[in-house]
């Protein structure tokens, strides 16, 4: 969402009369914070993944961290059309949470890819998934940019990005059902042999 963040922030500042937290003159700083927080989230998600699989390693911790980030990112996409109704403090928190979540899953999926790929194909698998990830990002940025040029509200344009985390959750949840960490008894026996 980084490409549309400045426009989203500018529109919000205009609507709320340059309220104290996000004013017209600090759109760049707010945009930077929204994007930069991803570096922190990657590190913390990595640390969390070491403990996030539940007792006894019900699921790989990276799967839990990645799916949680996707869930949060999906929710943020769906909330995007409501950005104008958020007060400045709430909007800032929303931006930072989304900036946090949208980056946190990437390294965790790379970790899963490295753990589950055939040992002699790990490099190829990581290269392929990285290329796919960047390709999806480029297409998304171009799509949102085109919609903004056609006069779409940035909140509505960003809501369309919900397709990404929705599909990601659908595919990963089949292999690593997140609810198994909360409800261990519901764990499918087919996941008993997963590497930790």
């Amino acid at each position: 969402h980084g490409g549309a963040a400045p426009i989203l922030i500018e529109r919000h500042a205009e609507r709320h009369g340059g309220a104290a937290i996000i004013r017209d003159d600090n759109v760049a700083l707010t945009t930077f914070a929204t994007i930069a927080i991803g570096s922190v989230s990657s590190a913390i998600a990595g640390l969390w993944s070491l403990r996030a699989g539940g007792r006894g390693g019900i699921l790989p911790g990276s799967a839990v961290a990645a799916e949680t980030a996707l869930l949060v990112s999906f929710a943020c996409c769906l909330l995007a059309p409501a950005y104008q109704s958020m007060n400045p403090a709430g909007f800032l928190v929303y931006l930072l949470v989304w900036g946090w979540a949208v980056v946190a899953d990437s390294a965790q999926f790379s970790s899963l890819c490295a753990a589950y790929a055939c040992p002699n194909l790990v490099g190829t698998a990581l290269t392929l998934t990285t290329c796919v990830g960047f390709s999806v990002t480029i297409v998304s940025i171009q799509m949102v940019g085109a919609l903004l040029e056609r006069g779409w509200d940035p909140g509505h344009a960003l809501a369309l990005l919900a397709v990404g985390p929705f599909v990601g959750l659908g595919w990963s949840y089949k292999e690593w059902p997140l609810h198994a960490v909360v409800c261990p008894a519901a764990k499918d026996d087919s996941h008993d042999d997963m590497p930790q």
Side-chain angles (χ1 to χ4, degrees):
H1 76 294
I7 298 169
L8 195 75
I9 294 165
E10 285 172 1
R11 295 274 178 90
H12 187 274
E14 289 167 8
R15 171 77 179 266
H16 291 270
I21 293 178
I22 302 175
R23 301 187 310 269
D24 290 333
D25 60 350
N26 67 11
V27 168
L29 179 61
T30 306
T31 302
F32 172 77
T34 301
I35 296 169
I37 198 168
S39 62
V40 178
S41 74
S42 291
I44 292 178
L47 292 172
W48 182 46
S49 73
L50 299 175
R51 306 184 69 179
R55 292 182 183 213
I58 294 168
L59 293 179
S62 289
V64 176
E67 288 182 8
T68 301
L70 283 175
L71 274 171
V72 174
S73 187
F74 178 66
C76 289
C77 289
L78 296 181
L79 284 172
Y83 77 101
Q84 290 286 30
S85 63
M86 299 177 190
N87 65 41
F91 180 62
L92 180 60
V93 170
Y94 165 75
L95 289 173
L96 294 176
V97 167
W98 198 358
W100 181 282
V102 80
V103 175
D105 65 324
S106 299
Q108 301 311 311
F109 278 122
S110 292
S111 175
L112 291 168
C113 183
Y116 284 82
C118 296
N120 60 329
L121 295 175
V122 170
T124 301
L126 288 171
T127 300
L128 181 62
T129 55
T130 301
C131 289
V132 169
F134 277 110
S135 297
V136 169
T137 300
I138 291 167
V139 170
S140 299
I141 290 170
Q142 294 300 317
M143 179 195 74
V144 170
L147 292 174
L148 293 175
E149 286 178 4
R150 290 174 178 264
W152 277 51
D153 181 82
H156 292 109
L158 288 170
L160 296 178
L161 299 180
V163 172
F166 180 78
V167 171
L169 277 168
W171 280 102
S172 63
Y173 197 85
K174 286 191 294 187
E175 184 67 29
W176 304 292
L178 192 58
H179 72 276
V181 175
V182 181
C183 307
K187 180 173 68 83
D188 186 334
D189 292 335
S190 67
H191 299 286
D192 285 344
D193 297 322
M194 291 187 302
Q196 302 304 313

